[in-house]
Amino acid sequence: MSRYLVTGGAGFVGSHAVLALLDRGDEVVVLDNLSQGHRAAVPAGVTLVEAELADTKRLAEVFASWRFDAVLHFAALSLVGASMREPLHYIAENVGHSLRLAEAAIKAGCLRFVLSSTAALFGEPERVPIDEACRVAPSNPYGDSKRMVEEGLDWAARIHGLRYAALRYFNAAGSDPQGRAGEDHDPETHLVPLAIDAALGRRPALTVFGDDYATPDGTCIRDYVHVTDLATAHLAALTRLETHGSCRYNIGSGNGASVKEVIAAVERVGGRPVPHSIGPRRAGDPAVLVAASDRLRAETGWEPKLGSLDDIVRTAWAWREAHPKGYDDR
Ligand code: UFG
């Protein structure tokens, strides 16, 4: 059995990773300030340290209280649009917190670190599907903050022997197939939950952000990857770090879906129409982002088990239908 520190473990992707770790018998300590995460997303029996990552004294205490085999670092600001309004806040928080956390881990002798990174690193990608050799050129401060963290960790790897895995998520969606966790952001900005809520009549009609892109149906194409598959990618990365050096992986299902295809999937799975209208483009949205996850598959044997859009929508729908107010703990 291993013990892991999971920052942001009360958030969407983090809470699903916690479940994956517990399911294989590991021990988890969650550190979260609950600004975006939910107390109710932390399973019973898991220690929740309610703390700010900026509190370096508290971080040192946490590392002194437990010996961790690795840190999984999910806690971050993650909205592209908000980062365009508050660039310095995004960069200062994401970079400062991540690197201070890594510093505290290294000081405590914990030399394995898994970073939640992002497809936003690639900006308008030079080719699709996007492999790890593609040019890193973020087109927003959020993506750039993660690039800076990856570079900082690289220095720590060279100088302190840290082994890190930077996992570049594409569009995380869906929810735990057993219904133990789900997606609950405030405000919600993501397509899948917004489309489901529109179908359930809980929100006004969905606005499709542009239908004049150079794609077959004119709407943006993204790579929706099931959050439980993302969670198992973390397990695969942790295993890899036991025997190998640092790594960077792009993680998606490898299938692109347009906004209109997502709407069609929600209507098919939910059996209800998704009221929607076409609006203007959203600033900063690239036309197509699809991952090539071949490196992760080849080096770790990881395979998505819930790779279809219908699996994603089915699980997301089930959780949202069962939790009209989300975690309802605010
Ligand atoms: N969209 C709409 N209407 C909406 C919301 C979204 O048309 O009301 C469209 C967007 O324009 C985009 C697609 O649906 O084409 C997906 O948008 P999301 O907001 O769900 O997700 P993003 O692709 O903007 O961003 C997500 C994460 C980022 C991450 C990125 C990587 O939120 O953190 O995926 O691909 F960087």
Side-chain angles (χ1 to χ4, degrees), residues 68-117:
F68 297 110
D69 292 276
V71 175
L72 288 83
H73 178 40
F74 297 90
L77 302 173
S78 65
L79 296 177
V80 169
S83 81
M84 293 294 278
R85 293 188 293 275
E86 297 181 281
L88 301 183
H89 178 57
Y90 256 70
I91 292 170
E93 288 244 337
N94 284 354
V95 178
H97 291 175
S98 302
L99 299 185
R100 292 228 183 281
L101 173 67
E103 192 176 32
I106 291 164
K107 276 188 186 152
C110 174
L111 291 177
R112 280 193 281 151
F113 196 97
V114 180
L115 171 72
S116 298
S117 190

Side-chain angles (χ1 to χ4, degrees), residues 142-196:
Y142 166 61
D144 214 17
S145 73
K146 294 288 184 172
R147 179 193 64 78
M148 292 177 207
V149 177
E150 289 194 4
E151 295 310 306
L153 293 181
D154 219 48
W155 282 110
R158 285 192 243 174
I159 294 169
H160 298 301
L162 180 77
R163 291 188 195 177
Y164 74 90
L167 306 184
R168 287 92 166 254
Y169 310 158
F170 282 61
N171 287 57
S175 65
D176 176 49
Q178 296 177 46
R180 297 171 295 176
E183 183 167 15
D184 180 8
H185 295 110
D186 183 20
E188 188 54 77
T189 61
H190 296 96
L191 178 62
V192 172
L194 288 178
I196 291 172

Side-chain angles (χ1 to χ4, degrees), residues 78-80 118-120 142 169-172 189-192 194 206-209 220-222 224 259 282 285-286 289:
S78 65
L79 296 177
V80 169
T118 175
Y142 166 61
Y169 310 158
F170 282 61
N171 287 57
T189 61
H190 296 96
L191 178 62
V192 172
L194 288 178
L206 178 78
T207 302
V208 175
F209 296 144
C220 287
I221 293 176
R222 293 287 179 274
Y224 296 88
V259 176
R282 184 173 66 177
D285 269 347
L289 289 175

Side-chain angles (χ1 to χ4, degrees), residues 183-184 197 200 202-203 317-328:
E183 183 167 15
D184 180 8
D197 283 1
L200 288 168
R202 291 186 189 151
R203 286 182 198 266
W317 182 288
W319 195 82
R320 288 191 88 80
E321 197 171 36
H323 300 84
K325 294 185 174 155
Y327 284 103
D328 197 20

